[in-house]
Amino acid sequence: MVEKAELDAIRGFSQAIDSAYSPYNNGTDIHNWMEIKAGVKALSKLIPTSNNVEMAKAVEYDSKFEGGARVL
């Protein structure tokens, strides 16, 4: 389970948090998909990935992009 404080911290990392287009601000995230994504991502890090290379790569890339990485 992801605590509210953790979700708030994740929201604070969003580069688009002040944008009118951000799901946090434009009213399109009525089902809290951004928070659900954070929970699923946290859970996925607990799942053994030795047999699932694609899942491990997806989680790794998503983490890098949240940190501001760019696709070259």
Side-chain angles (χ1 to χ4, degrees), residues 4-34:
K4 174 79 169 119
E6 292 176 81
L7 293 174
D8 290 341
I10 291 167
R11 179 182 294 208
F13 287 124
S14 173
Q15 294 178 349
I17 192 69
D18 295 324
S19 169
Y21 300 104
S22 172
Y24 291 118
N25 300 327
N26 66 9
T28 59
D29 193 18
I30 59 172
H31 298 291
N32 300 318
W33 290 113
M34 300 298 281

Side-chain angles (χ1 to χ4, degrees), residues 23-72:
Y24 291 118
N25 300 327
N26 66 9
T28 59
D29 193 18
I30 59 172
H31 298 291
N32 300 318
W33 290 113
M34 300 298 281
E35 285 86 357
I36 292 169
K37 175 191 165 210
V40 169
K41 187 174 173 185
L43 175 63
S44 72
K45 291 179 181 181
L46 301 174
I47 299 170
T49 57
S50 61
N51 294 329
N52 193 343
V53 175
E54 292 82 14
M55 176 63 106
K57 284 182 182 178
V59 169
E60 177 185 351
Y61 290 145
D62 190 57
S63 294
K64 286 181 181 178
F65 291 132
E66 282 182 357
R70 303 273 189 252
V71 176
L72 301 175

